[in-house]
């Protein structure tokens, strides 16, 4: 019988995460609901995660483990770590079955055609798991490859999944979400005026959800283009799609409480000559606010935080020298590290004892 429905159906999710070395793919995946990892490369033994004890040494062994998961349903999220090592087991098995010395020895690239068919059959079995309510996460390593655009002149390097071309395309088509994880470089000022900048990289972990010229990514959900990942914490937006709820707006510019105006008692007008110095002093004290994002100013005012407290906190985190004016912070730094993560910043300031009264 044929039926028709309208609207979102929800259900389990298919996610691919590929990232730079040391980014934390395995740790990230282990934060999913009731996870179980099939470790195809034996690299998770030092992590505190739930895993299948046996590391598959062949593709038939992997299929036996998958059959066990299908029969017993021991988890809510199945993690395959990693897809590229699993592909290597497929190639090994394919060559053994057909007596090939290697995948490339078959004429006219037919070896890769057989590999694509094998990979497609695996995705069909994983799709059945998803339809039964189990999330599937495929982790993968990243490789840099030269890319020539069919519509633009010139070529450049891109980050790509470390898979054979046809398998890579099929996996991206199959997934609901493809996340690219990297360490974001932060541009820091090295002089007091903030004119000389230097890139400092390697500390802030981010994941991207949309494709750019430098990497592939996608999402069938309304996710932010870039999501910050703090190790040990599943980002709220990712948790939201796993629970079948709309992703929250992490940028929250509209939810910032407006600072309440202070109504002063009316006072007798002072002579102009005496009030001028006070007005000049007030203007000088507020001069730092010029050029600062208004959303950040509202957050600071509503939490009674001084300019000194913000600059000191940013300095202690190693992001910018304390002498760098807030107005010189790059906009992406303000958006992603301050506004989007305002409450952790406030908590850090309080923990450091920087929330001193005005």
């Amino acid at each position: 019988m044929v039926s028709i429905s309208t609207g979102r159906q929800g259900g389990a999710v298919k996610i691919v995460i590929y990232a730079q070395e040391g980014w934390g793919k395995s740790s990230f995946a282990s934060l999913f609901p009731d996870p179980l990892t099939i470790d195809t490369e034996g690299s998770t033994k030092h992590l505190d995660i739930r895993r299948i004890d046996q590391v598959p040494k062949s593709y038939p062994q992997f299929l036996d483990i998958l059959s066990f998961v299908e029969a017993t349903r021991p988890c809510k999220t199945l993690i395959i770590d990693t897809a590229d090592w699993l592909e290597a087991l497929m190639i090994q098995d394919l060559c053994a079955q057909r007596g090939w010395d290697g995948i490339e020895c078959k004429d006219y690239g037919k070896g890769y055609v057989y590999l694509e068919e094998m990979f497609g059959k695996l995705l069909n079995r994983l799709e059945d798991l998803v339809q039964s309510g189990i999330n599937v996460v495929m982790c993968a390593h990243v490789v840099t490859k030269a890319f020539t655009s069919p519509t633009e002149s010139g070529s450049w390097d891109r980050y790509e999944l470390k898979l054979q071309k046809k398998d890579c395309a099929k996996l991206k088509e199959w997934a609901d979400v493809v996340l690219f994880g990297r360490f974001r470089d932060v541009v820091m000022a090295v002089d007091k005026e903030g004119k000389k900048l230097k890139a400092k990289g390697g500390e802030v972990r981010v994941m991207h959800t949309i494709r750019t010229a430098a990497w592939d990514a996608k999402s069938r959900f309304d996710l932010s283009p870039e999501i910050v990942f703090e190790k040990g914490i599943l980002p709220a937006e990712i948790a939201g799609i796993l629970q079948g709820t709309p992703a929250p707006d992490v940028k929250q510019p509209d939810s910032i409480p407006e600072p309440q105006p202070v109504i002063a008692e009316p006072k007798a007008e002072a002579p102009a000559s005496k009030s001028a110095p006070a007005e000049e002093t007030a203007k000088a004290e507020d001069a730092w606010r010029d050029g600062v994002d208004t959303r950040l100013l509202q957050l600071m005012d509503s939490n009674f935080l001084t300019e000194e407290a913000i600059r000191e906190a940013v300095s202690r985190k190693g992001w910018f020298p304390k002498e760098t004016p807030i107005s010189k912070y790059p906009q992406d730094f303000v958006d992603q590290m301050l506004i989007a993560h305002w409450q952790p910043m406030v908590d850090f300031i309080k923990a450091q004892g920087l929330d001193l009264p005005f």
Side-chain angles (χ1 to χ4, degrees):
M1 174 181 279
V2 176
S3 61
I4 299 175
S5 64
T6 303
R8 300 181 181 180
Q9 294 180 323
V13 182
K14 303 169 287 188
I15 294 182
V16 173
I17 172 70
Y18 72 115
Q20 295 173 330
E21 293 82 357
W23 184 87
K25 299 181 294 294
S26 303
S27 298
F28 169 72
S30 71
L31 299 173
F32 282 53
D34 189 21
L36 178 64
T37 296
I38 303 178
D39 184 356
T40 61
E41 58 183 79
S43 62
T44 67
K45 60 184 179 181
H46 299 298
L47 300 178
D48 183 15
I49 65 172
R50 184 167 174 254
R51 66 177 68 79
I52 297 289
D53 289 331
Q54 292 72 27
V55 176
K57 300 299 182 182
S58 68
Y59 189 54
Q61 288 181 11
F62 172 84
L63 292 180
D64 288 342
I65 294 173
L66 184 58
S67 296
F68 166 80
V69 174
E70 291 169 334
T72 61
R73 299 177 57 79
C75 60
K76 294 180 181 177
T77 302
L78 177 66
I79 303 162
I80 298 176
D81 193 359
T82 58
D84 40 296
W85 278 61
L86 176 58
E87 184 189 56
L89 295 180
M90 289 181 173
I91 294 174
Q92 172 187 303
D93 183 60
L94 188 60
C95 292
Q97 287 182 14
R98 298 179 179 272
W100 299 343
D101 293 331
I103 190 69
E104 295 182 352
C105 73
K106 190 63 178 173
D107 293 340
Y108 307 111
K110 287 186 178 179
Y112 293 108
V113 175
Y114 292 129
L115 177 62
E116 181 189 12
E117 292 176 358
M118 183 182 288
F119 199 83
K121 290 178 181 178
L122 170 65
L123 294 183
N124 288 339
R125 289 187 64 173
L126 295 178
E127 181 66 30
D128 291 339
L129 274 181
V130 173
Q131 294 300 322
S132 70
I134 295 178
N135 300 305
V136 174
V137 179
M138 296 274 273
C139 300
H141 294 100
V142 66
V143 65
T144 304
K145 293 183 179 180
F147 174 78
T148 301
S149 172
T151 58
E152 304 289 340
S153 60
S155 62
W156 55 87
D157 290 340
R158 301 184 78 244
Y159 293 109
E160 294 185 8
L161 288 158
K162 193 178 180 181
L163 293 170
Q164 299 298 332
K165 187 175 181 180
K166 293 180 181 293
D167 295 344
C168 180
K170 192 174 286 290
L171 181 59
K172 290 186 292 185
E173 292 170 1
W174 172 81
D176 295 317
V177 179
V178 177
L179 299 171
F180 171 63
R182 69 182 180 97
F183 291 96
R184 186 178 58 196
D185 295 332
V186 176
V187 179
M188 299 182 61
V190 294
D191 63 337
K192 294 183 179 181
E193 294 76 21
K195 295 181 179 180
K196 295 182 180 180
L197 304 177
K198 183 178 181 180
K200 176 185 178 182
E203 295 184 5
V204 181
R205 291 174 169 85
V206 296
M207 61 187 78
H208 298 274
T209 64
I210 61 174
R211 184 187 186 279
T212 71
W215 55 74
D216 285 321
K218 78 170 192 179
S219 174
R220 291 173 179 154
F221 302 90
D222 186 20
L223 297 177
S224 299
E226 180 180 283
I227 300 173
V228 175
F229 170 48
E230 297 181 26
K231 294 200 74 173
I233 303 174
L234 183 65
E237 289 193 77
I238 302 300
I241 65 173
L242 295 174
Q243 298 166 2
T245 57
D249 182 4
V250 297
K251 295 183 180 178
Q252 60 188 11
D254 297 328
S255 64
I256 298 171
E258 293 287 343
Q260 298 298 316
V262 178
I263 303 176
E265 293 293 331
K267 295 181 179 179
E269 235 177 285
S273 59
K274 293 184 179 180
S275 63
E279 291 176 1
E280 291 177 1
T281 301
K283 288 181 180 180
E285 291 177 351
D286 289 341
W288 67 270
R289 301 172 71 95
D290 293 341
V292 178
D293 192 304
T294 55
R295 297 170 299 163
L296 180 58
L297 289 174
Q298 290 175 339
L299 285 170
M300 292 173 63
D301 290 342
S302 63
N303 287 270
F304 304 103
L305 294 179
T306 65
E307 176 212 14
E308 174 76 11
I310 296 296
R311 289 195 290 108
E312 181 66 34
V314 167
S315 174
R316 292 189 185 185
K317 282 182 171 286
W319 291 334
F320 288 90
K322 182 179 177 181
E323 297 79 13
T324 304
I326 297 178
S327 60
K328 297 296 183 181
Y329 293 167
Q331 189 60 49
D332 65 338
F333 173 81
V334 173
D335 289 338
Q336 297 296 332
M337 302 306 295
L338 297 182
I339 294 177
H341 288 76
W342 180 249
Q343 191 54 52
M345 174 59 75
V346 172
D347 294 341
F348 176 79
I349 290 173
K350 290 181 178 180
Q352 295 287 316
L354 304 177
D355 55 330
L356 302 175
F358 288 99

